[in-house]
Amino acid sequence: MTRSTRIADTTREERIQIVAEALAWGDDCGGCSLDACGIDRFYQPYIDGELELAELNMSRASATYVLGDAGRGERGASCVM
């Protein structure tokens, strides 16, 4: 069974571990501080219990990806290959 990553279901320490594991650092951090591990500051609002992971990921996706037709024109093919 998958454990919950929701803020309401986790402690701050568990959220640090969740982020570290998701970024493939696993147990390398031991008991060190967040700064010493170099965990991406992007996840700080989640760790601090301010925003859920899904909200952070959606904010990055909406700021990074642009919806467009990839130069195919309005009625172009759905595949660029």
Side-chain angles (χ1 to χ4, degrees), residues 12-30:
R12 185 175 195 282
E13 290 74 24
E14 288 171 325
R15 291 190 295 273
I16 290 171
Q17 182 180 5
I18 289 166
V19 170
E21 288 173 2
L23 296 176
W25 287 321
D27 294 333
D28 291 346
C29 288

PDB file of all heavy atoms in Angstrom, residues 12-30:
ATOM      1  N   ARG A  12       6.758  17.236   9.020  1.00  0.00           N
ATOM      2  CA  ARG A  12       7.769  17.953   8.240  1.00  0.00           C
ATOM      3  C   ARG A  12       8.933  17.017   7.911  1.00  0.00           C
ATOM      4  O   ARG A  12       9.431  17.003   6.778  1.00  0.00           O
ATOM      5  CB  ARG A  12       8.269  19.172   9.012  1.00  0.00           C
ATOM      6  CG  ARG A  12       9.242  20.029   8.217  1.00  0.00           C
ATOM      7  CD  ARG A  12       9.617  21.301   8.983  1.00  0.00           C
ATOM      8  NE  ARG A  12      10.236  22.270   8.122  1.00  0.00           N
ATOM      9  CZ  ARG A  12      11.512  22.226   7.715  1.00  0.00           C
ATOM     10  NH1 ARG A  12      12.288  21.242   8.123  1.00  0.00           N
ATOM     11  NH2 ARG A  12      12.001  23.152   6.921  1.00  0.00           N
ATOM     12  N   GLU A  13       9.360  16.241   8.875  1.00  0.00           N
ATOM     13  CA  GLU A  13      10.465  15.310   8.649  1.00  0.00           C
ATOM     14  C   GLU A  13      10.111  14.269   7.593  1.00  0.00           C
ATOM     15  O   GLU A  13      10.951  13.902   6.764  1.00  0.00           O
ATOM     16  CB  GLU A  13      10.863  14.625   9.965  1.00  0.00           C
ATOM     17  CG  GLU A  13      11.539  15.556  10.961  1.00  0.00           C
ATOM     18  CD  GLU A  13      10.563  16.535  11.646  1.00  0.00           C
ATOM     19  OE1 GLU A  13       9.346  16.239  11.726  1.00  0.00           O
ATOM     20  OE2 GLU A  13      11.024  17.604  12.070  1.00  0.00           O
ATOM     21  N   GLU A  14       8.875  13.792   7.609  1.00  0.00           N
ATOM     22  CA  GLU A  14       8.444  12.833   6.594  1.00  0.00           C
ATOM     23  C   GLU A  14       8.418  13.481   5.210  1.00  0.00           C
ATOM     24  O   GLU A  14       8.786  12.846   4.214  1.00  0.00           O
ATOM     25  CB  GLU A  14       7.060  12.272   6.938  1.00  0.00           C
ATOM     26  CG  GLU A  14       7.079  11.326   8.119  1.00  0.00           C
ATOM     27  CD  GLU A  14       5.694  10.940   8.587  1.00  0.00           C
ATOM     28  OE1 GLU A  14       4.758  11.779   8.530  1.00  0.00           O
ATOM     29  OE2 GLU A  14       5.550   9.787   9.024  1.00  0.00           O
ATOM     30  N   ARG A  15       8.005  14.742   5.131  1.00  0.00           N
ATOM     31  CA  ARG A  15       7.983  15.438   3.840  1.00  0.00           C
ATOM     32  C   ARG A  15       9.394  15.640   3.301  1.00  0.00           C
ATOM     33  O   ARG A  15       9.628  15.512   2.100  1.00  0.00           O
ATOM     34  CB  ARG A  15       7.224  16.763   3.960  1.00  0.00           C
ATOM     35  CG  ARG A  15       5.730  16.556   4.185  1.00  0.00           C
ATOM     36  CD  ARG A  15       4.931  17.823   4.060  1.00  0.00           C
ATOM     37  NE  ARG A  15       5.221  18.816   5.073  1.00  0.00           N
ATOM     38  CZ  ARG A  15       4.638  18.889   6.268  1.00  0.00           C
ATOM     39  NH1 ARG A  15       3.714  18.011   6.609  1.00  0.00           N
ATOM     40  NH2 ARG A  15       4.963  19.849   7.112  1.00  0.00           N
ATOM     41  N   ILE A  16      10.358  15.922   4.178  1.00  0.00           N
ATOM     42  CA  ILE A  16      11.757  16.022   3.740  1.00  0.00           C
ATOM     43  C   ILE A  16      12.196  14.684   3.164  1.00  0.00           C
ATOM     44  O   ILE A  16      12.826  14.628   2.104  1.00  0.00           O
ATOM     45  CB  ILE A  16      12.670  16.451   4.907  1.00  0.00           C
ATOM     46  CG1 ILE A  16      12.398  17.910   5.283  1.00  0.00           C
ATOM     47  CG2 ILE A  16      14.138  16.252   4.543  1.00  0.00           C
ATOM     48  CD1 ILE A  16      13.092  18.359   6.553  1.00  0.00           C
ATOM     49  N   GLN A  17      11.858  13.596   3.835  1.00  0.00           N
ATOM     50  CA  GLN A  17      12.226  12.262   3.369  1.00  0.00           C
ATOM     51  C   GLN A  17      11.549  11.953   2.034  1.00  0.00           C
ATOM     52  O   GLN A  17      12.177  11.390   1.132  1.00  0.00           O
ATOM     53  CB  GLN A  17      11.851  11.219   4.410  1.00  0.00           C
ATOM     54  CG  GLN A  17      12.248   9.820   4.010  1.00  0.00           C
ATOM     55  CD  GLN A  17      11.878   8.793   5.063  1.00  0.00           C
ATOM     56  OE1 GLN A  17      11.248   9.108   6.063  1.00  0.00           O
ATOM     57  NE2 GLN A  17      12.274   7.565   4.822  1.00  0.00           N
ATOM     58  N   ILE A  18      10.295  12.313   1.892  1.00  0.00           N
ATOM     59  CA  ILE A  18       9.559  12.073   0.649  1.00  0.00           C
ATOM     60  C   ILE A  18      10.238  12.788  -0.515  1.00  0.00           C
ATOM     61  O   ILE A  18      10.453  12.208  -1.581  1.00  0.00           O
ATOM     62  CB  ILE A  18       8.088  12.516   0.792  1.00  0.00           C
ATOM     63  CG1 ILE A  18       7.340  11.552   1.722  1.00  0.00           C
ATOM     64  CG2 ILE A  18       7.395  12.609  -0.577  1.00  0.00           C
ATOM     65  CD1 ILE A  18       6.007  12.055   2.213  1.00  0.00           C
ATOM     66  N   VAL A  19      10.597  14.056  -0.311  1.00  0.00           N
ATOM     67  CA  VAL A  19      11.260  14.823  -1.365  1.00  0.00           C
ATOM     68  C   VAL A  19      12.630  14.223  -1.677  1.00  0.00           C
ATOM     69  O   VAL A  19      12.996  14.038  -2.838  1.00  0.00           O
ATOM     70  CB  VAL A  19      11.370  16.320  -0.982  1.00  0.00           C
ATOM     71  CG1 VAL A  19      12.267  17.067  -1.958  1.00  0.00           C
ATOM     72  CG2 VAL A  19       9.994  16.952  -0.925  1.00  0.00           C
ATOM     73  N   ALA A  20      13.387  13.897  -0.648  1.00  0.00           N
ATOM     74  CA  ALA A  20      14.716  13.326  -0.856  1.00  0.00           C
ATOM     75  C   ALA A  20      14.637  12.015  -1.628  1.00  0.00           C
ATOM     76  O   ALA A  20      15.413  11.779  -2.556  1.00  0.00           O
ATOM     77  CB  ALA A  20      15.414  13.116   0.482  1.00  0.00           C
ATOM     78  N   GLU A  21      13.695  11.148  -1.278  1.00  0.00           N
ATOM     79  CA  GLU A  21      13.534   9.879  -1.974  1.00  0.00           C
ATOM     80  C   GLU A  21      13.085  10.100  -3.411  1.00  0.00           C
ATOM     81  O   GLU A  21      13.549   9.414  -4.326  1.00  0.00           O
ATOM     82  CB  GLU A  21      12.539   8.990  -1.236  1.00  0.00           C
ATOM     83  CG  GLU A  21      13.083   8.435   0.060  1.00  0.00           C
ATOM     84  CD  GLU A  21      12.044   7.684   0.873  1.00  0.00           C
ATOM     85  OE1 GLU A  21      10.878   7.551   0.417  1.00  0.00           O
ATOM     86  OE2 GLU A  21      12.395   7.226   1.964  1.00  0.00           O
ATOM     87  N   ALA A  22      12.196  11.051  -3.622  1.00  0.00           N
ATOM     88  CA  ALA A  22      11.711  11.326  -4.975  1.00  0.00           C
ATOM     89  C   ALA A  22      12.824  11.857  -5.864  1.00  0.00           C
ATOM     90  O   ALA A  22      12.828  11.628  -7.068  1.00  0.00           O
ATOM     91  CB  ALA A  22      10.559  12.326  -4.923  1.00  0.00           C
ATOM     92  N   LEU A  23      13.785  12.535  -5.280  1.00  0.00           N
ATOM     93  CA  LEU A  23      14.905  13.070  -6.046  1.00  0.00           C
ATOM     94  C   LEU A  23      16.071  12.089  -6.075  1.00  0.00           C
ATOM     95  O   LEU A  23      17.172  12.445  -6.465  1.00  0.00           O
ATOM     96  CB  LEU A  23      15.340  14.416  -5.461  1.00  0.00           C
ATOM     97  CG  LEU A  23      14.290  15.526  -5.550  1.00  0.00           C
ATOM     98  CD1 LEU A  23      14.775  16.780  -4.851  1.00  0.00           C
ATOM     99  CD2 LEU A  23      13.935  15.819  -6.996  1.00  0.00           C
ATOM    100  N   ALA A  24      15.826  10.855  -5.636  1.00  0.00           N
ATOM    101  CA  ALA A  24      16.769   9.741  -5.698  1.00  0.00           C
ATOM    102  C   ALA A  24      17.990   9.900  -4.801  1.00  0.00           C
ATOM    103  O   ALA A  24      19.048   9.354  -5.093  1.00  0.00           O
ATOM    104  CB  ALA A  24      17.197   9.471  -7.134  1.00  0.00           C
ATOM    105  N   TRP A  25      17.863  10.630  -3.718  1.00  0.00           N
ATOM    106  CA  TRP A  25      18.970  10.729  -2.782  1.00  0.00           C
ATOM    107  C   TRP A  25      18.839   9.724  -1.658  1.00  0.00           C
ATOM    108  O   TRP A  25      19.776   9.494  -0.917  1.00  0.00           O
ATOM    109  CB  TRP A  25      19.093  12.142  -2.203  1.00  0.00           C
ATOM    110  CG  TRP A  25      19.633  13.100  -3.212  1.00  0.00           C
ATOM    111  CD1 TRP A  25      20.601  12.843  -4.114  1.00  0.00           C
ATOM    112  CD2 TRP A  25      19.227  14.432  -3.435  1.00  0.00           C
ATOM    113  NE1 TRP A  25      20.826  13.948  -4.894  1.00  0.00           N
ATOM    114  CE2 TRP A  25      20.001  14.939  -4.490  1.00  0.00           C
ATOM    115  CE3 TRP A  25      18.292  15.256  -2.845  1.00  0.00           C
ATOM    116  CZ2 TRP A  25      19.861  16.228  -4.966  1.00  0.00           C
ATOM    117  CZ3 TRP A  25      18.149  16.543  -3.315  1.00  0.00           C
ATOM    118  CH2 TRP A  25      18.937  17.011  -4.375  1.00  0.00           C
ATOM    119  N   GLY A  26      17.655   9.156  -1.504  1.00  0.00           N
ATOM    120  CA  GLY A  26      17.440   8.109  -0.514  1.00  0.00           C
ATOM    121  C   GLY A  26      17.926   8.455   0.871  1.00  0.00           C
ATOM    122  O   GLY A  26      17.597   9.485   1.413  1.00  0.00           O
ATOM    123  N   ASP A  27      18.746   7.585   1.442  1.00  0.00           N
ATOM    124  CA  ASP A  27      19.203   7.744   2.812  1.00  0.00           C
ATOM    125  C   ASP A  27      20.493   8.546   2.926  1.00  0.00           C
ATOM    126  O   ASP A  27      21.074   8.635   3.994  1.00  0.00           O
ATOM    127  CB  ASP A  27      19.425   6.374   3.458  1.00  0.00           C
ATOM    128  CG  ASP A  27      18.126   5.622   3.623  1.00  0.00           C
ATOM    129  OD1 ASP A  27      17.080   6.278   3.736  1.00  0.00           O
ATOM    130  OD2 ASP A  27      18.166   4.379   3.632  1.00  0.00           O
ATOM    131  N   ASP A  28      20.983   9.122   1.843  1.00  0.00           N
ATOM    132  CA  ASP A  28      22.238   9.851   1.877  1.00  0.00           C
ATOM    133  C   ASP A  28      22.219  11.005   2.870  1.00  0.00           C
ATOM    134  O   ASP A  28      23.245  11.413   3.366  1.00  0.00           O
ATOM    135  CB  ASP A  28      22.595  10.404   0.489  1.00  0.00           C
ATOM    136  CG  ASP A  28      22.951   9.286  -0.478  1.00  0.00           C
ATOM    137  OD1 ASP A  28      23.180   8.155  -0.013  1.00  0.00           O
ATOM    138  OD2 ASP A  28      22.994   9.563  -1.680  1.00  0.00           O
ATOM    139  N   CYS A  29      21.040  11.549   3.137  1.00  0.00           N
ATOM    140  CA  CYS A  29      20.949  12.717   4.007  1.00  0.00           C
ATOM    141  C   CYS A  29      21.123  12.368   5.479  1.00  0.00           C
ATOM    142  O   CYS A  29      21.524  13.211   6.256  1.00  0.00           O
ATOM    143  CB  CYS A  29      19.610  13.421   3.809  1.00  0.00           C
ATOM    144  SG  CYS A  29      19.503  14.272   2.240  1.00  0.00           S
ATOM    145  N   GLY A  30      20.774  11.151   5.866  1.00  0.00           N
ATOM    146  CA  GLY A  30      20.870  10.801   7.277  1.00  0.00           C
ATOM    147  C   GLY A  30      20.068  11.779   8.111  1.00  0.00           C
ATOM    148  O   GLY A  30      18.895  11.940   7.921  1.00  0.00           O
TER     149      GLY A  30
END
